[in-house]
Amino acid sequence: EVQLVQSGAGVKKPGESLRISCEGSGYSFTSYWINWVRQMPGKGLEWMGRIDPGDSYTNYSPSFEGHVTISTDKSISTAYLQWSSLKASDTAMYYCARQRKGLFPYDSWGQGTLVTVSS
Amino acid sequence: EIVMTQSPATLSVSPGERVTLSCRASQSISSNLAWYQQKPGQAPRLLIYGASTRATGIPARFSGSGSGTEFTLTISSLQSEDFAVYFCHHYNSWPPFTFGPGTKVDIK
């Protein structure tokens, strides 16, 4: 069974750093891109960026580039999304989603990680 | 950046009714469009990809059509479990791969 399991919810203060994770199982991790998607409270879905776990090549949305970093450790089938300095506006649910390499949809999603940033 | 728009924003319908949701891309995305369903407290679920292909396990009452810039998701007879928010999403050649703002289907 294909699964993407994300790390648990986190509460942080503005200016703090955070790394959340997404572990894939039940498939060849390096055969699929991992995308990260933000959903602010009561809002829609925003594509943040993606990574190729095979070579760590990344694409970022202009809206998020420079504010987050996407990385991966293929030895443990895990992708990461990290912030070096959180803002209150980063409060949101974050999803990872896998995408077969090429022009394919996101066919499996993680359960989501709720990040709350509050002083 | 390709901008995705959806209409209507909210649709109030009764169970058993036929529902048609629209999605438009600001430039041609060929058939590289997916529809996702999201229920409260859950992750999105893939319904349709390639504009018209149902994902594994998706009931036949869901169908998609369109290409280029105009797309439609149709639910032939709405069931109680179909009340949710529906997002369209392009995955055409170049990022960013934007989502539409969503259409909420709620009970009339």
Side-chain angles (χ1 to χ4, degrees), chain A residues 35 37 39 43-47 50 59-63 95 99 102-112, chain B residues 1 32 34 36 38 41-46 48-50 87 89-93 95-101:
Chain A
N35 293 266
V37 177
Q39 189 167 39
K43 301 299 183 182
L45 304 172
E46 300 173 90
W47 182 79
R50 70 179 179 190
N59 295 114
Y60 291 94
S61 165
S63 300
Y95 294 101
Q99 178 187 16
L103 299 179
F104 295 99
Y106 303 173
D107 63 356
S108 185
W109 294 65
Q111 83 278 19
Chain B
E1 173 177 324
N32 298 311
Y36 299 90
Q38 187 179 33
Q42 296 185 18
R45 176 176 72 142
L46 177 64
I48 300 285
Y49 65 95
F87 296 96
H89 174 231
H90 92 81
Y91 49 92
N92 206 37
S93 302
F97 303 108
T98 45
F99 292 86

Side-chain angles (χ1 to χ4, degrees), chain A residues 1-5 22-27 29 77 98 108-110:
Chain A
E1 179 195 4
V2 173
Q3 279 194 306
L4 293 175
V5 178
C22 169
E23 181 180 0
S25 62
Y27 72 99
F29 190 67
S77 301
R98 79 165 194 172
S108 185
W109 294 65

